[in-house]
Amino acid sequence: MKAIRLIQFRKPLELQEIPMPEFGEKDILVHVRAAGICHSDAHYRAGRSAMGFMPITLGHEVAGVVEKIGSQVTNVKAGERVCLHYNISCGDCYYCSTGNEQFCNTVKMLGHHVDGGYAEYIAIPARNAIPLPDEIPFEAGATLMCASATALHALGKGRIKAGETVAVFGVGGLGLSAIQLARAMGAVEVYAVDIKQDKLELASEYDAIPIDASRINPVEEIRRLTKGRGVNVSVEMIGLRKTMEQAIDCLANLGRAVMVGLNQQPISINTYAQVLGKEAEIIGSNDHLVSELPLLVEWARKGILDTSRVVSQVIPLDATRINQRLDDLENFTNDVRAVIVP
Ligand SMILES: [Zn+2]
Ligand SMILES: [Zn+2]
């Protein structure tokens, strides 16, 4: 079969003809119908993260049709449409058995530690397959498995309750999902903070209140709009020191700031004024859980989470085209969200 693979760091991905993947008795073989091209893939190609092995097939946002099932598989059948949870955990360790499989001692990510979805076929444990309803196109199903799922997990960590207010810092794929999901979880007001006009306009189309941080101080603006109280929950999706500090600073008493954007720099907080005096919480959020995905898919099926505008380009399993998109992501020259349809 054909697969687009990372042979060497800092080199273009290459098309390789490789054997069909082998699959065990608890695994399934999936005919890939869509694989999202994600910013992480650009990081992998650039050598910023150790890979499980090389050459390796990239692609962790995958949807397709079950081609064959192992002898012990009961949850899916051949011919069914599925999307794939990208973290493959052992199912038995302390973390797996307590429902926190993102910390599994041997967790492996599709397209990072094991071969992913930039290929015609992929093999994966059957428990990683989530049924994909007919109403959701494969392209949208694939992209649900990354940014939207991570946004849902983050909002869960923030424990949003009906009637609360939410501030979303960063209106990319994560932020746009977070805006809609916060609404679905009962938020009455969602503030969207960004510095790009087109993103703020998109946020307001999804009923968020846009705050242009290139012109005004977002913390002051959030305080003004909430009658001085601040928001109940903030989610930081950018990973900048400044926006992390703002996400904490804009909290109301008992507020929860959820950190999603990656940042290696220390941040500065006034522990009395910003945390203990307010009984505020700063919460880390890392990836998502397989148990969260069926609800996400259901919200997408019902249109509560709009997936119709996520994918802006569909490309074939073509190394040149895929490398071009990764270049765009690497250089931030193009916001196009591309999905490979082999
Ligand atoms: Zn991704
Ligand atoms: Zn485990």
Side-chain angles (χ1 to χ4, degrees):
M1 68 166 191
K2 290 183 172 57
I4 304 291
R5 312 190 87 198
L6 176 63
I7 316 285
Q8 209 184 332
F9 287 138
R10 291 175 292 282
K11 289 275 160 57
L13 306 184
E14 288 179 28
L15 175 73
Q16 286 193 329
E17 197 68 46
I18 59 172
M20 289 283 278
E22 291 178 9
F23 62 102
E25 53 191 17
K26 293 182 176 176
D27 299 335
I28 57 174
L29 180 71
V30 175
H31 184 189
V32 177
R33 300 293 302 274
I37 299 179
C38 181
H39 210 123
S40 308
D41 299 328
H43 290 308
Y44 301 151
R45 190 186 62 167
R48 292 189 201 102
S49 180
M51 308 303 286
F53 50 82
M54 286 201 281
I56 188 169
T57 309
L58 298 191
H60 56 271
E61 307 177 357
V62 189
V65 175
V66 179
E67 179 85 8
K68 289 181 182 165
I69 64 171
S71 59
Q72 289 194 31
V73 172
T74 54
N75 63 324
V76 286
K77 295 191 192 70
E80 286 182 354
R81 305 170 91 245
V82 290
C83 42
L84 306 181
H85 176 48
Y86 61 57
N87 278 332
I88 300 171
S89 52
C90 76
D92 295 320
C93 72
Y94 169 76
Y95 292 111
C96 283
S97 56
T98 53
N100 297 294
E101 86 263 5
Q102 75 272 47
F103 305 119
C104 175
N105 299 323
T106 60
V107 70
K108 291 188 174 69
M109 183 178 169
L110 280 191
H112 187 192
H113 307 113
V114 295
D115 279 331
Y118 288 13
E120 291 177 286
Y121 293 90
I122 186 170
I124 190 164
R127 66 167 182 279
N128 280 58
I130 312 294
L132 183 66
D134 291 339
E135 296 94 325
I136 305 175
F138 289 111
E139 295 89 326
T143 59
L144 277 178
M145 296 295 99
C146 189
S148 301
T150 301
L152 178 63
H153 183 70
L155 293 169
K157 298 294 288 183
R159 309 190 305 278
I160 293 181
K161 292 193 287 289
E164 291 195 319
T165 52
V166 177
V168 175
F169 287 78
V171 187
L174 281 164
L176 267 186
S177 294
I179 288 167
Q180 298 174 65
L181 295 169
R183 267 287 153 72
M185 294 164 101
V188 281
E189 219 66 275
V190 180
Y191 305 100
V193 182
D194 209 292
I195 54 171
K196 287 195 177 154
Q197 206 51 49
D198 54 337
K199 300 213 166 167
L200 291 166
E201 273 165 29
L202 198 52
S204 31
E205 285 175 39
Y206 287 108
D207 225 11
I209 296 166
I211 296 178
D212 183 353
S214 72
R215 292 192 303 110
I216 45 177
N217 178 324
V219 176
E220 285 171 12
E221 182 65 1
I222 287 169
R223 293 224 169 273
R224 188 181 72 77
L225 292 166
T226 55
K227 302 188 177 68
R229 284 198 294 271
V231 287
N232 303 110
V233 176
S234 64
V235 282
E236 203 281 344
M237 308 295 207
I238 303 164
L240 290 175
R241 177 180 175 159
K242 184 174 178 185
T243 44
M244 286 180 153
E245 290 172 354
Q246 289 170 339
I248 295 164
D249 210 19
C250 71
L251 291 179
N253 290 332
L254 300 169
R256 286 90 68 197
V258 186
M259 299 294 152
V260 185
L262 303 180
N263 170 34
Q264 307 283 356
Q265 304 295 314
I267 62 167
S268 163
I269 45 172
N270 179 325
T271 48
Y272 179 75
Q274 292 180 306
V275 182
L276 45 102
K278 287 179 172 177
E279 296 198 350
E281 297 169 54
I282 302 168
I283 301 168
S285 182
N286 186 2
D287 252 332
H288 52 267
L289 303 168
V290 68
S291 57
E292 293 167 320
L293 297 175
L295 174 64
L296 186 73
V297 169
E298 184 59 11
W299 275 344
R301 186 183 73 81
K302 293 198 156 201
I304 291 167
L305 175 64
D306 175 25
T307 57
S308 67
R309 295 164 68 179
V310 176
V311 178
S312 43
Q313 193 184 38
V314 169
I315 60 176
L317 195 62
D318 176 285
T320 309
R321 302 278 301 274
I322 294 168
N323 282 305
Q324 178 75 53
R325 291 279 73 84
L326 291 172
D327 293 344
D328 289 341
L329 289 167
E330 191 69 42
N331 304 321
F332 293 97
T333 45
N334 198 332
D335 268 343
V336 165
R337 188 75 163 89
V339 171
I340 301 164
V341 174

